[in-house]
Amino acid sequence: MSDHHFQADGDRVLADLNALRAIGTYKTGVHKPTFSEAHMRSLQWLVQRLPEAGLAPAIDGIGNVLGTSTKSGPKLLAGSHLESQNFAGWLDGPLGVVYALEAARVINRDSCINGAVEVAAWCDEEGHFGHFLGSRSYVGDLTEADIDGAKDRNSDRTMREALRDVGLAGRARAKAEGGRHVGYLEAHIEQGDILESGGLAIGIVTSIVGIWQYRITFTGEQNHAGTTRMSVRKDAGLALAKFCVAIDDQFPASCGPRTVWTTGRITLDPGAPSIIPGRAEMLFQVRDDDPGVIERLENVLRTMAAEVSAEGPCSVGVERLRTGAPATMDATFQHAIEAASAVFAGSRSIRMPSGAGHDAQVLATIMPAGMLFVPSIGGISHHWTENTADTDIVTGAQVFVDACRRVLAG
Ligand SMILES: [Zn+2]
């Protein structure tokens, strides 16, 4: 039997991705918020495709689509997500789902391959209602109370209302069956420019960074902006601004090679032009794949806060809001992707961490997981201009299908 039986059909992959782009089109991208009409039609599109791969499709009670196989042998779970950020790109999510579908089409009907690929589209990876609600539901990390509390960040619609509106209320939620899968493999656009700038085709993800989030609060004294002399002011806003600059001065000495930090929101209280802010707050985020690095940086942050408070005139409080859990990608999966890249991408691959969060980090809490990246043109994503060259999409599909086959072969 010749090798071509095991290969992805590039034209079919591109046609599928374009079919998904035609649902909820916005300029050259898409607008598919979770549980929007366009999102639900995309889920239906997948449900109609899955039988081509010998998979029985179902949409569960949180909007996950799962295609399950009755073929004997080991089973590999593969997928990504189908909703998008608002007015965003066409590949973030669909690329991984279509690759998984293609792998299932190639592998599941081939009696020479022992085992099958099962396909998943996880709901709400983009966090319209929460964070990783679909994949967390599948791994058993989402309670009914979590769903009760989830709300659309763009409107006041609750998740319960949304589930009812799309006809999913009351359906059972699919849960991972212990021991069913040898692991989970996900493909995604890189959303950065490391691959493109290096002339590379494939990123072999080594880990997915954890996200640590902090609320840093500055307390001073609210007073009149005209009559209060500069020397006696306790300006919480000014203290915050200085603190931001000090972080940028001090973090480089303690951070790792790929640590990133961001002040995403600043609030001044009361926030009026003629009032000295008595209180100020910043939401601060740090990402890294090494908890040891974060521990070091958190100590720097707390020491800085203590020093500023001791010097006055304002006091500073640091509160950790979110503790990140970096996920290590399985070594066997990394090896399978690397071997597939040698065959289909001329070894134009690199091992790299993912700076963005993905469902694979959730699946990694219960089974071995791996991820593969394809280049993003200009490193752009979460924007409607997001794109990847067709040749890179096809190469990625071939590497993905071959990596699935290698994982199933053990
Ligand atoms: Zn994504």
Side-chain angles (χ1 to χ4, degrees):
M1 161 169 268
S2 79
D3 256 5
H4 78 272
H5 289 276
F6 300 134
Q7 285 194 32
D9 179 336
D11 290 339
R12 182 164 64 181
V13 167
L14 290 169
D16 283 350
L17 286 168
N18 278 298
L20 283 167
R21 171 152 66 172
I23 305 171
T25 306
Y26 174 76
K27 298 188 180 179
T28 61
V30 294
H31 178 60
K32 302 190 200 191
T34 304
F35 300 133
S36 63
E37 192 264 343
H39 178 221
M40 295 311 292
R41 265 205 291 148
S42 301
L43 299 189
Q44 288 301 340
W45 178 92
L46 179 61
V47 163
Q48 284 161 17
R49 294 279 87 69
L50 289 171
E52 294 168 10
L55 297 171
I59 304 183
D60 82 347
I62 197 149
N64 288 335
V65 177
L66 284 151
T68 48
S69 169
T70 52
K71 194 178 173 190
S72 64
K75 285 172 188 65
L76 173 67
L77 187 60
S80 195
H81 59 94
L82 289 175
E83 82 284 338
S84 75
Q85 287 288 342
N86 293 335
F87 309 106
W90 67 303
L91 296 171
D92 182 350
L95 181 101
V97 173
V98 169
Y99 278 14
L101 172 64
E102 182 63 11
R105 279 189 297 224
V106 171
I107 289 169
N108 296 358
R109 305 214 156 210
D110 195 325
S111 53
C112 299
I113 300 176
N114 184 33
V117 173
E118 297 195 319
V119 175
W122 309 113
C123 194
D124 203 39
E125 190 275 342
E126 294 293 5
H128 292 272
F129 285 85
H131 98 250
F132 300 120
L133 294 181
S135 51
R136 280 172 54 212
S137 170
Y138 186 73
V139 305
D141 181 32
L142 190 76
T143 65
E144 291 299 311
D146 290 333
I147 301 174
D148 291 342
K151 244 186 192 176
D152 189 341
R153 62 177 149 92
N154 296 305
S155 71
D156 264 349
R157 191 162 73 142
T158 65
M159 182 139 195
R160 292 290 184 200
E161 287 166 340
L163 286 168
R164 203 184 53 224
D165 292 349
V166 298
L168 295 177
R171 277 198 205 186
R173 290 192 275 135
K175 298 279 170 62
E177 244 174 76
R180 180 178 180 88
H181 298 108
V182 293
Y184 174 73
L185 189 61
E186 178 169 357
H188 208 276
I189 52 168
E190 184 202 338
Q191 305 179 282
D193 66 355
I194 289 172
L195 295 178
E196 186 184 61
S197 61
L200 300 165
I202 300 291
I204 303 160
V205 179
T206 51
S207 63
I208 300 173
V209 302
I211 300 175
W212 283 259
Q213 198 143 296
Y214 301 89
R215 179 190 290 127
I216 306 177
T217 310
F218 301 78
T219 309
E221 196 171 79
Q222 185 178 324
N223 211 333
H224 197 291
T227 59
T228 313
R229 285 179 293 117
M230 296 309 286
S231 59
V232 299
R233 288 186 181 203
K234 297 179 180 177
D235 186 335
L238 183 62
L240 180 150
K242 286 180 176 170
F243 200 82
C244 269
V245 174
I247 288 173
D248 254 30
D249 286 343
Q250 296 202 24
F251 267 35
S254 304
C255 72
R258 288 183 195 265
T259 316
V260 289
W261 56 91
T262 308
T263 300
R265 193 172 80 195
I266 288 173
T267 320
L268 300 182
D269 186 16
S274 293
I275 303 174
I276 300 163
R279 197 172 170 283
E281 183 184 291
M282 57 190 263
L283 291 182
F284 182 68
Q285 191 183 86
V286 190
R287 299 188 187 209
D288 202 281
D289 64 356
D290 181 353
V293 168
I294 301 292
E295 201 177 317
R296 218 155 62 212
L297 293 174
E298 186 173 316
N299 283 335
V300 172
L301 208 57
R302 292 189 188 282
T303 304
M304 285 170 56
E307 284 169 5
V308 172
S309 299
E311 278 169 28
C314 296
S315 64
V316 188
V318 175
E319 179 193 357
R320 194 198 298 144
L321 299 178
R322 177 172 164 188
T323 302
T328 303
M329 297 293 101
D330 186 80
T332 308
F333 281 60
Q334 291 181 45
H335 185 76
I337 299 166
E338 192 160 60
S341 298
V343 176
F344 289 99
S347 288
R348 287 182 301 128
S349 62
I350 188 175
R351 291 185 185 232
M352 61 186 286
S354 170
H358 295 289
D359 288 307
Q361 77 198 57
V362 178
L363 273 299
T365 62
I366 63 160
M367 61 177 84
M371 271 199 95
L372 165 168
F373 283 160
V374 299
S376 294
I377 295 174
I380 293 167
S381 79
H382 286 188
H383 188 271
W384 58 268
T385 56
E386 163 193 293
N387 206 3
T388 297
D390 282 359
T391 51
D392 284 336
I393 292 176
V394 172
T395 299
Q398 286 164 339
V399 171
F400 187 84
V401 172
D402 192 46
C404 287
R405 186 183 62 78
R406 287 168 191 274
V407 168
L408 285 171

